[in-house]
Amino acid sequence: ELHLVESGGGLVQPGGSLRLSCAASGFSISDYHMDWVRQAPGKGLEWVGRTEKKGLIANTRYAAFVKGRFTISRDDAQSSLFLQMNSLTIEDTAVYYCVRGYNGLDPWGQGTLVSVSS
Amino acid sequence: DIQMTQSPSSLSASVGDRVTLTCRASQGIRNSLAWFQQKPGKAPKCLIYDSVSLQLGVPSRFSGSGSGTDFTLTISSLQPEDFATYYCLHYNGYPFSFGQGTKVEIK
C-alpha cells in the first residue's frame, strides 16, 4: 500500500522558519515528481510547488506566493521529501500535504499543520 | 497564470440524483485536469485524472469529461458517502492551480 507521512509542523512566530518532512512507503519517490499542497483553515486547496524526478532536466517549480521563501528538496535514497519554509507570515498558516505527482496528484499524505502566530 | 473557476460553489441534492459539477480554465489546458473529493478533516482524494481517467478503486458512478477550457465531473447516482467538497486542478504547465471548490450538500 502506498503511504505518505508528513511531519515537522507546529507553531512558529512570524518571520520564523520551519522544515517539513514527508516519508514515502510502498513506492520509491525516485520514479516520480513530488508536490506540496496546502490548505488554510476553512479555505480551498493551494498548490505550493513540485520537485521533478531526476532526468535530463529536473526542475523544481513554485507557486508565485512562495516568492523565494520556500525550498523543496528530496532524498531519493531515503524516499523522503522536504519543504524548507523561511520568512513565514500568518498567511502561511495551513495544513501542508505531501502528494505524489502521478495520475493527477495521488496519493496524499494526511497533512501536517503549520501555525504562524505571535 | 491559468485560473480555474468552478460552478456552482455549492449545491443541494438528494441521494440518487444525477449531479454535474463544472470547471472552467482561463485558457486551454488540453486534458490536463484532475478532480478531487475532500471530506471534512480528511486529506483530498483524487477521483479523475487526465480529464476522463478514473482513479483505481473509484466507483464507476463518477465520470469526467471535457478538453481545452471546459470540464465536468458527473456523479450518476449520488450516494450518502458522496457528500463532500470537490476541487478541480489543472497541471498543464507551471504553476498548477486549483478551482475554489464545489460543496455538495444533502437536500
Side-chain angles (χ1 to χ4, degrees):
Chain A
E1 196 173 350
L2 311 180
H3 272 300
L4 293 165
V5 179
E6 302 92 338
S7 59
L11 178 63
V12 61
Q13 291 188 333
S17 298
L18 213 55
R19 179 176 162 91
L20 306 183
S21 300
C22 170
S25 59
F27 70 100
S28 174
I29 70 165
S30 63
D31 295 327
Y32 299 96
H33 306 324
M34 297 295 296
D35 295 59
W36 287 97
V37 174
R38 72 181 186 179
Q39 186 169 36
K43 303 295 185 183
L45 301 172
E46 187 171 39
W47 182 75
V48 175
R50 164 174 283 190
T51 172
E52 294 180 349
K53 64 182 178 181
K54 285 190 169 42
L56 215 57
I57 301 173
N59 291 311
T60 303
R61 301 295 294 267
Y62 301 93
F65 69 81
V66 168
K67 296 179 183 176
R69 302 178 299 131
F70 295 180
T71 301
I72 298 173
S73 59
R74 59 195 295 158
D75 182 338
D76 288 350
Q78 297 294 321
S79 234
S80 294
L81 180 71
F82 305 99
L83 178 63
Q84 175 68 44
M85 302 186 293
N86 301 327
S87 303
L88 286 162
T89 73
I90 57 174
E91 288 76 28
D92 296 315
T93 293
V95 173
Y96 285 74
Y97 294 101
C98 164
V99 200
R100 186 177 67 163
Y102 180 71
N103 284 356
L105 294 179
D106 181 76
W108 294 57
Q110 85 289 349
T112 187
L113 176 62
V114 172
S115 295
V116 184
S117 174
S118 53
Chain B
D1 295 355
I2 297 172
Q3 312 302 318
M4 306 301 293
T5 303
Q6 290 184 240
S7 60
S9 54
S10 65
L11 67 89
S12 295
S14 301
V15 172
D17 283 354
R18 180 181 181 89
V19 170
T20 300
L21 282 57
T22 296
C23 180
R24 174 165 288 174
S26 59
Q27 59 187 266
I29 59 169
R30 300 183 295 177
N31 68 335
S32 300
L33 184 106
W35 288 96
F36 300 86
Q37 177 193 67
Q38 187 178 33
K39 297 180 181 179
K42 300 292 188 182
K45 171 187 170 184
C46 186
L47 302 174
I48 302 279
Y49 63 95
D50 294 347
S51 179
V52 300
S53 297
L54 199 65
Q55 199 70 248
L56 205 61
V58 173
S60 59
R61 62 181 179 272
F62 291 95
S63 63
S65 66
S67 183
T69 60
D70 294 307
F71 301 85
T72 59
L73 172 69
T74 299
I75 309 172
S76 60
S77 176
L78 200 64
Q79 297 302 300
E81 60 268 30
D82 300 338
F83 292 96
T85 301
Y86 294 83
Y87 295 93
C88 63
L89 165 77
H90 97 80
Y91 44 97
N92 182 232
Y94 299 113
F96 301 166
S97 59
F98 288 90
Q100 81 281 13
T102 293
K103 187 173 184 179
V104 176
E105 299 175 301
I106 301 173
K107 182 184 281 185

